[in-house]
Amino acid sequence: MNSGELDETCQQFLIQLFEQTGGEPSAQVSMYEVGEGLGLDRDSSSRAAETLIGLQLVEIRTLSGGIGISTEGANEVKRLTGGATPADVSPSTLTDQPVMDSPSCQGVEQIAGELKSHAGNLGLDFDRLSELMADLKTIDAQLGSSRPKTAIIRECLRSLKEILEDATEAEILMKIKGLLGE
């Protein structure tokens, strides 16, 4: 099964999860609360969540039912709703502040997620792919910090831009240039 074959319940569950988390991959809610918002019982909520976890659209956070939406899940909601969603509310450029704000973090996290899912299809040689992965790990480390540093993220994005200029992924390259204000 792929995400294009989601039944109506799973689609609604994913959209409801997106709304409850504001599309923020770091947010966590109870799968039962998400299901309750759709009128589902606990078993139906568990089945929908398990299906979505299997498709990597949802991530399990706690053994007691805490879940969060993945970057891929947020992108799937965008595809399902056919329009702008809160995940699209990313900054046009990074700020000059030393510590990144939440919208900047969301924009960078969205781009990093897209790059991770497309890394194998970029046609990069081993050295360039290793460099790309190192930059993505640095971005992940910064986004995991309580005070992600804008300067470090900016330098990683510049490095990624340079790598992607040699690759076949123009859409992500344009998003990175947008964040960098170019």
Side-chain angles (χ1 to χ4, degrees):
M1 173 188 270
N2 62 41
S3 60
E5 301 170 359
L6 287 178
D7 65 24
E8 184 68 25
T9 301
C10 287
Q11 289 179 12
Q12 293 303 316
F13 190 94
L14 187 62
I15 293 168
Q16 180 75 12
L17 174 62
F18 183 91
E19 291 173 358
Q20 286 190 14
T21 61
E24 178 70 43
S26 63
Q28 173 183 313
V29 295
S30 166
M31 71 173 81
Y32 306 116
E33 289 176 15
V34 174
E36 192 176 288
L38 298 170
L40 300 176
D41 61 21
R42 290 176 73 89
D43 289 338
S44 298
S45 297
S46 292
R47 277 193 302 276
E50 288 168 4
T51 299
L52 295 167
I53 290 167
L55 294 170
Q56 298 181 344
L57 300 174
V58 170
E59 298 172 346
I60 187 122
R61 300 287 166 75
T62 67
L63 295 175
S64 61
I67 58 172
I69 195 159
S70 68
T71 303
E72 293 82 8
N75 291 337
E76 181 66 13
V77 169
K78 179 179 175 185
R79 190 189 69 73
L80 288 171
T81 58
T85 61
D88 288 335
V89 183
S90 60
S92 56
T93 60
L94 292 177
T95 66
D96 290 330
Q97 299 298 314
V99 176
M100 291 179 49
D101 58 8
S102 181
S104 294
C105 288
Q106 287 177 342
V108 170
E109 192 166 27
Q110 183 178 4
I111 288 171
E114 287 180 43
L115 261 176
K116 287 176 192 172
S117 65
H118 291 95
N121 302 326
L122 295 175
L124 298 172
D125 64 28
F126 181 77
D127 290 338
R128 296 299 266 177
L129 186 59
S130 296
E131 187 179 347
L132 178 124
M133 296 311 292
D135 287 334
L136 289 174
K137 285 180 183 178
T138 302
I139 288 172
D140 281 347
Q142 282 300 308
L143 293 177
S145 166
S146 61
R147 296 175 47 86
K149 312 302 182 282
T150 306
I152 295 171
I153 296 288
R154 188 180 315 278
E155 289 309 311
C156 287
L157 290 173
R158 285 182 179 144
S159 174
L160 290 171
K161 180 185 79 139
E162 181 182 313
I163 293 167
L164 291 176
E165 286 173 344
D166 298 332
T168 58
E169 189 58 53
E171 183 180 336
I172 297 175
L173 178 60
M174 295 308 296
K175 289 179 182 179
I176 290 173
K177 285 182 175 183
L179 277 173
L180 291 171
E182 298 177 0

